[in-house]
Amino acid sequence: MLKFNYTHLLPQGLSPDSKVWIYQSMRIFTLNEALQIEEMLEDFTDNWLSHGAMVKGYANLLFGQFIVIMADERETGVSGCSTDSSVRMIKEIEKLFHVNLFDRQLLAFIIKNKIELLPLSQVPYAIENGFIDAETVYFNNLIQNKAELESKWMIPLKESWLAARFHKSIPISR
């Protein structure tokens, strides 16, 4: 799974409890789109304010499909207005590149060394037909902070919230 290593891209200067938001695109961005998005993200974090104070933040496009935003609240708390500004930027990216970044029913897995998206409603079918199993890597976009991003973002299906939901269908390898 070396191809999916990302922790070296995360900033060392932000605390482990830094707040994290992950927005998953319904498709991989083209190289040109990715370059534009990275520029937008850099501009956003360079100017991100909360009640007039700079937010110590980070934003990046990972694997061409996941926008990760992080705020270290030890120095400046992130208020509703500053969170709203990040959401406005994400909506601007959606509009500019004709993608959906808020579809929480579309789940990402690594299948045959490639990121594949499955609607939640198709997970039982994928399990029953052997497309995914307990060991399939799942992108847990519900993580809350940097420490979880580093250790619990990409996890086996059996360790995710999906395991409880589909526990009877997921074959556990022994």
Side-chain angles (χ1 to χ4, degrees), residues 133-156:
D133 61 27
E135 301 300 324
T136 301
V137 175
Y138 166 68
F139 286 87
N140 179 21
N141 295 331
L142 302 176
I143 53 123
Q144 300 290 307
N145 58 48
K146 182 184 178 200
E148 289 179 356
L149 178 63
E150 292 172 331
S151 63
K152 296 181 180 175
W153 182 36
M154 295 171 52
I155 56 175

Side-chain angles (χ1 to χ4, degrees), residues 1 12 16 22 24-25 43 49 56 74 80 84 94 107-108 113 116 118 121 139 145 154 171:
M1 206 162 72
Q12 296 303 310
I22 298 176
Q24 173 185 293
S25 174
D43 184 55
L49 298 174
K56 187 175 180 182
R74 287 188 180 183
D84 289 349
E94 278 189 320
L107 308 177
N113 216 24
E116 298 286 350
L118 279 174
S121 62
F139 286 87
N145 58 48
M154 295 171 52

Side-chain angles (χ1 to χ4, degrees), residues 33-76:
E33 290 171 334
L35 292 171
Q36 289 178 62
I37 290 167
E38 286 175 353
E39 190 175 306
M40 291 172 75
L41 296 173
E42 185 176 336
D43 184 55
F44 173 76
T45 55
D46 286 348
N47 298 291
W48 196 6
L49 298 174
S50 179
H51 298 290
M54 284 299 301
V55 173
K56 187 175 180 182
Y58 163 87
N60 202 351
L61 177 63
L62 298 178
F63 308 126
Q65 196 159 1
F66 301 90
I67 295 174
V68 176
I69 300 175
M70 195 179 312
D72 190 337
E73 295 188 293
R74 287 188 180 183
E75 294 180 28
T76 306

Side-chain angles (χ1 to χ4, degrees), residues 3-166:
K3 176 181 175 184
F4 292 98
N5 185 10
Y6 62 93
T7 55
H8 66 285
L9 299 171
L10 303 178
Q12 296 303 310
L14 270 63
S15 69
D17 60 346
S18 294
K19 188 156 178 57
V20 169
W21 298 267
I22 298 176
Y23 299 93
Q24 173 185 293
S25 174
M26 58 194 245
R27 64 173 174 83
I28 292 177
F29 292 103
T30 66
L31 180 57
N32 186 43
E33 290 171 334
L35 292 171
Q36 289 178 62
I37 290 167
E38 286 175 353
E39 190 175 306
M40 291 172 75
L41 296 173
E42 185 176 336
D43 184 55
F44 173 76
T45 55
D46 286 348
N47 298 291
W48 196 6
L49 298 174
S50 179
H51 298 290
M54 284 299 301
V55 173
K56 187 175 180 182
Y58 163 87
N60 202 351
L61 177 63
L62 298 178
F63 308 126
Q65 196 159 1
F66 301 90
I67 295 174
V68 176
I69 300 175
M70 195 179 312
D72 190 337
E73 295 188 293
R74 287 188 180 183
E75 294 180 28
T76 306
V78 178
S79 67
C81 292
S82 54
T83 301
D84 289 349
S85 68
S86 69
V87 172
R88 277 194 302 278
M89 186 223 8
I90 294 297
K91 287 185 177 193
E92 184 181 335
I93 291 170
E94 278 189 320
K95 187 175 179 182
L96 192 59
F97 300 106
H98 309 289
V99 295
N100 185 338
L101 295 165
F102 290 95
D103 186 351
R104 301 294 185 214
Q105 298 293 308
L106 198 57
L107 308 177
F109 299 89
I110 297 176
I111 301 172
K112 296 183 181 177
N113 216 24
K114 185 177 174 213
I115 296 171
E116 298 286 350
L117 302 177
L118 279 174
L120 177 60
S121 62
Q122 290 184 11
V123 169
Y125 176 86
I127 293 168
E128 289 168 21
N129 290 283
F131 297 117
I132 61 176
D133 61 27
E135 301 300 324
T136 301
V137 175
Y138 166 68
F139 286 87
N140 179 21
N141 295 331
L142 302 176
I143 53 123
Q144 300 290 307
N145 58 48
K146 182 184 178 200
E148 289 179 356
L149 178 63
E150 292 172 331
S151 63
K152 296 181 180 175
W153 182 36
M154 295 171 52
I155 56 175
L157 179 61
K158 67 184 177 188
E159 295 175 18
S160 75
W161 64 272
L162 289 165
R165 184 163 182 173
F166 299 110

